[in-house]
PDB file of all heavy atoms in Angstrom:
ATOM      1  N   MET C 244     -12.093  -7.423   0.037  1.00 97.00           N
ATOM      2  CA  MET C 244     -10.738  -7.555   0.744  1.00 97.00           C
ATOM      3  C   MET C 244      -9.467  -7.331  -0.189  1.00 97.00           C
ATOM      4  O   MET C 244      -9.712  -7.139  -1.458  1.00 97.00           O
ATOM      5  CB  MET C 244     -10.476  -8.949   1.249  1.00 97.00           C
ATOM      6  CG  MET C 244     -11.552  -9.424   2.212  1.00 97.00           C
ATOM      7  SD  MET C 244     -11.623  -8.297   3.685  1.00 97.00           S
ATOM      8  CE  MET C 244     -10.129  -8.715   4.442  1.00 97.00           C
ATOM      9  N   ALA C 245      -8.308  -7.134   0.329  1.00 95.00           N
ATOM     10  CA  ALA C 245      -7.085  -6.753  -0.527  1.00 95.00           C
ATOM     11  C   ALA C 245      -6.357  -8.137  -0.883  1.00 95.00           C
ATOM     12  O   ALA C 245      -5.683  -8.183  -1.922  1.00 95.00           O
ATOM     13  CB  ALA C 245      -6.185  -5.933   0.303  1.00 95.00           C
ATOM     14  N   GLY C 246      -6.365  -9.061   0.105  1.00 95.00           N
ATOM     15  CA  GLY C 246      -5.618 -10.362  -0.233  1.00 95.00           C
ATOM     16  C   GLY C 246      -6.253 -11.505   0.447  1.00 95.00           C
ATOM     17  O   GLY C 246      -7.160 -11.383   1.228  1.00 95.00           O
ATOM     18  N   GLU C 247      -5.719 -12.808   0.146  1.00 97.00           N
ATOM     19  CA  GLU C 247      -6.346 -13.925   0.672  1.00 97.00           C
ATOM     20  C   GLU C 247      -6.093 -14.027   2.183  1.00 97.00           C
ATOM     21  O   GLU C 247      -6.906 -14.474   2.963  1.00 97.00           O
ATOM     22  CB  GLU C 247      -5.774 -15.069  -0.038  1.00 97.00           C
ATOM     23  CG  GLU C 247      -4.256 -15.149   0.025  1.00 97.00           C
ATOM     24  CD  GLU C 247      -3.668 -16.066  -1.032  1.00 97.00           C
ATOM     25  OE1 GLU C 247      -4.127 -16.071  -2.152  1.00 97.00           O
ATOM     26  OE2 GLU C 247      -2.501 -16.780  -0.806  1.00 97.00           O
ATOM     27  N   LEU C 248      -4.828 -13.689   2.585  1.00 96.00           N
ATOM     28  CA  LEU C 248      -4.489 -13.867   4.073  1.00 96.00           C
ATOM     29  C   LEU C 248      -4.463 -12.357   4.730  1.00 96.00           C
ATOM     30  O   LEU C 248      -3.765 -11.489   4.161  1.00 96.00           O
ATOM     31  CB  LEU C 248      -3.026 -14.407   4.103  1.00 96.00           C
ATOM     32  CG  LEU C 248      -2.507 -14.505   5.569  1.00 96.00           C
ATOM     33  CD1 LEU C 248      -3.310 -15.441   6.554  1.00 96.00           C
ATOM     34  CD2 LEU C 248      -1.054 -14.966   5.540  1.00 96.00           C
ATOM     35  N   LEU C 249      -5.094 -12.325   5.747  1.00 96.00           N
ATOM     36  CA  LEU C 249      -5.110 -10.987   6.587  1.00 96.00           C
ATOM     37  C   LEU C 249      -3.742 -11.036   7.339  1.00 96.00           C
ATOM     38  O   LEU C 249      -3.617 -11.759   8.335  1.00 96.00           O
ATOM     39  CB  LEU C 249      -6.287 -10.932   7.515  1.00 96.00           C
ATOM     40  CG  LEU C 249      -6.484  -9.482   8.068  1.00 96.00           C
ATOM     41  CD1 LEU C 249      -6.839  -8.584   6.847  1.00 96.00           C
ATOM     42  CD2 LEU C 249      -7.709  -9.478   8.946  1.00 96.00           C
ATOM     43  N   LEU C 250      -2.892 -10.091   6.890  1.00 93.00           N
ATOM     44  CA  LEU C 250      -1.529 -10.166   7.482  1.00 93.00           C
ATOM     45  C   LEU C 250      -1.577  -9.671   8.844  1.00 93.00           C
ATOM     46  O   LEU C 250      -2.192  -8.655   9.172  1.00 93.00           O
ATOM     47  CB  LEU C 250      -0.553  -9.308   6.762  1.00 93.00           C
ATOM     48  CG  LEU C 250       0.061  -9.724   5.488  1.00 93.00           C
ATOM     49  CD1 LEU C 250       0.969  -8.742   4.805  1.00 93.00           C
ATOM     50  CD2 LEU C 250       0.966 -11.055   5.773  1.00 93.00           C
ATOM     51  N   GLY C 251      -0.977 -10.289   9.814  1.00 94.00           N
ATOM     52  CA  GLY C 251      -0.861  -9.861  11.215  1.00 94.00           C
ATOM     53  C   GLY C 251       0.225  -8.914  11.488  1.00 94.00           C
ATOM     54  O   GLY C 251       1.335  -9.346  11.862  1.00 94.00           O
ATOM     55  N   LEU C 252      -0.014  -7.638  11.236  1.00 94.00           N
ATOM     56  CA  LEU C 252       1.005  -6.623  11.582  1.00 94.00           C
ATOM     57  C   LEU C 252       0.846  -6.179  12.962  1.00 94.00           C
ATOM     58  O   LEU C 252       1.898  -6.037  13.646  1.00 94.00           O
ATOM     59  CB  LEU C 252       0.840  -5.472  10.614  1.00 94.00           C
ATOM     60  CG  LEU C 252       0.957  -5.709   9.117  1.00 94.00           C
ATOM     61  CD1 LEU C 252       1.007  -4.575   8.303  1.00 94.00           C
ATOM     62  CD2 LEU C 252       2.139  -6.627   8.795  1.00 94.00           C
ATOM     63  N   HIS C 253      -0.309  -6.152  13.553  1.00 96.00           N
ATOM     64  CA  HIS C 253      -0.468  -5.771  15.012  1.00 96.00           C
ATOM     65  C   HIS C 253      -0.472  -7.151  15.692  1.00 96.00           C
ATOM     66  O   HIS C 253       0.201  -7.320  16.677  1.00 96.00           O
ATOM     67  CB  HIS C 253      -1.868  -5.122  15.201  1.00 96.00           C
ATOM     68  CG  HIS C 253      -2.113  -4.746  16.626  1.00 96.00           C
ATOM     69  ND1 HIS C 253      -2.563  -5.669  17.547  1.00 96.00           N
ATOM     70  CD2 HIS C 253      -2.090  -3.484  17.160  1.00 96.00           C
ATOM     71  CE1 HIS C 253      -2.551  -5.057  18.690  1.00 96.00           C
ATOM     72  NE2 HIS C 253      -2.480  -3.664  18.490  1.00 96.00           N
ATOM     73  N   GLY C 254      -1.338  -8.104  15.278  1.00 96.00           N
ATOM     74  CA  GLY C 254      -1.258  -9.425  15.763  1.00 96.00           C
ATOM     75  C   GLY C 254      -2.253  -9.826  16.945  1.00 96.00           C
ATOM     76  O   GLY C 254      -2.570 -10.901  17.102  1.00 96.00           O
ATOM     77  N   GLU C 255      -2.696  -8.754  17.549  1.00 96.00           N
ATOM     78  CA  GLU C 255      -3.623  -8.944  18.711  1.00 96.00           C
ATOM     79  C   GLU C 255      -4.986  -8.347  18.585  1.00 96.00           C
ATOM     80  O   GLU C 255      -5.748  -8.463  19.499  1.00 96.00           O
ATOM     81  CB  GLU C 255      -2.985  -8.460  20.045  1.00 96.00           C
ATOM     82  CG  GLU C 255      -1.730  -9.312  20.386  1.00 96.00           C
ATOM     83  CD  GLU C 255      -0.914  -8.745  21.424  1.00 96.00           C
ATOM     84  OE1 GLU C 255      -1.407  -7.769  22.131  1.00 96.00           O
ATOM     85  OE2 GLU C 255       0.085  -9.254  21.722  1.00 96.00           O
ATOM     86  N   MET C 256      -5.330  -7.702  17.522  1.00 97.00           N
ATOM     87  CA  MET C 256      -6.610  -7.031  17.317  1.00 97.00           C
ATOM     88  C   MET C 256      -7.647  -8.005  17.172  1.00 97.00           C
ATOM     89  O   MET C 256      -7.472  -9.003  16.468  1.00 97.00           O
ATOM     90  CB  MET C 256      -6.529  -6.041  16.131  1.00 97.00           C
ATOM     91  CG  MET C 256      -5.858  -4.816  16.472  1.00 97.00           C
ATOM     92  SD  MET C 256      -5.879  -3.752  15.092  1.00 97.00           S
ATOM     93  CE  MET C 256      -5.609  -2.102  15.791  1.00 97.00           C
ATOM     94  N   GLU C 257      -8.805  -7.827  17.742  1.00 97.00           N
ATOM     95  CA  GLU C 257      -9.872  -8.727  17.705  1.00 97.00           C
ATOM     96  C   GLU C 257     -11.155  -8.060  17.320  1.00 97.00           C
ATOM     97  O   GLU C 257     -11.400  -6.890  17.650  1.00 97.00           O
ATOM     98  CB  GLU C 257     -10.164  -9.278  19.188  1.00 97.00           C
ATOM     99  CG  GLU C 257      -9.012 -10.303  19.634  1.00 97.00           C
ATOM    100  CD  GLU C 257      -9.379 -10.869  20.952  1.00 97.00           C
ATOM    101  OE1 GLU C 257     -10.542 -10.684  21.509  1.00 97.00           O
ATOM    102  OE2 GLU C 257      -8.586 -11.700  21.464  1.00 97.00           O
ATOM    103  N   TYR C 258     -12.068  -8.813  16.776  1.00 98.00           N
ATOM    104  CA  TYR C 258     -13.381  -8.403  16.434  1.00 98.00           C
ATOM    105  C   TYR C 258     -14.414  -9.434  16.841  1.00 98.00           C
ATOM    106  O   TYR C 258     -14.267 -10.643  16.410  1.00 98.00           O
ATOM    107  CB  TYR C 258     -13.577  -7.941  15.003  1.00 98.00           C
ATOM    108  CG  TYR C 258     -15.054  -7.379  14.775  1.00 98.00           C
ATOM    109  CD1 TYR C 258     -15.204  -6.036  15.111  1.00 98.00           C
ATOM    110  CD2 TYR C 258     -16.010  -8.056  14.215  1.00 98.00           C
ATOM    111  CE1 TYR C 258     -16.471  -5.445  14.924  1.00 98.00           C
ATOM    112  CE2 TYR C 258     -17.279  -7.487  14.130  1.00 98.00           C
ATOM    113  CZ  TYR C 258     -17.557  -6.168  14.427  1.00 98.00           C
ATOM    114  OH  TYR C 258     -18.673  -5.499  14.274  1.00 98.00           O
ATOM    115  N   ASP C 259     -15.375  -9.117  17.674  1.00 96.00           N
ATOM    116  CA  ASP C 259     -16.325 -10.063  18.190  1.00 96.00           C
ATOM    117  C   ASP C 259     -15.708 -11.372  18.696  1.00 96.00           C
ATOM    118  O   ASP C 259     -16.074 -12.474  18.382  1.00 96.00           O
ATOM    119  CB  ASP C 259     -17.262 -10.535  16.976  1.00 96.00           C
ATOM    120  CG  ASP C 259     -18.571 -11.251  17.419  1.00 96.00           C
ATOM    121  OD1 ASP C 259     -19.010 -10.841  18.509  1.00 96.00           O
ATOM    122  OD2 ASP C 259     -18.880 -12.126  16.738  1.00 96.00           O
TER     123      ASP C 259
END
Side-chain angles (χ1 to χ4, degrees):
Chain C
M244 301 303 292
E247 58 201 31
L248 174 66
L249 196 62
L250 277 182
L252 302 187
H253 182 288
E255 293 171 7
M256 283 178 156
E257 291 183 2
Y258 185 79
D259 195 38

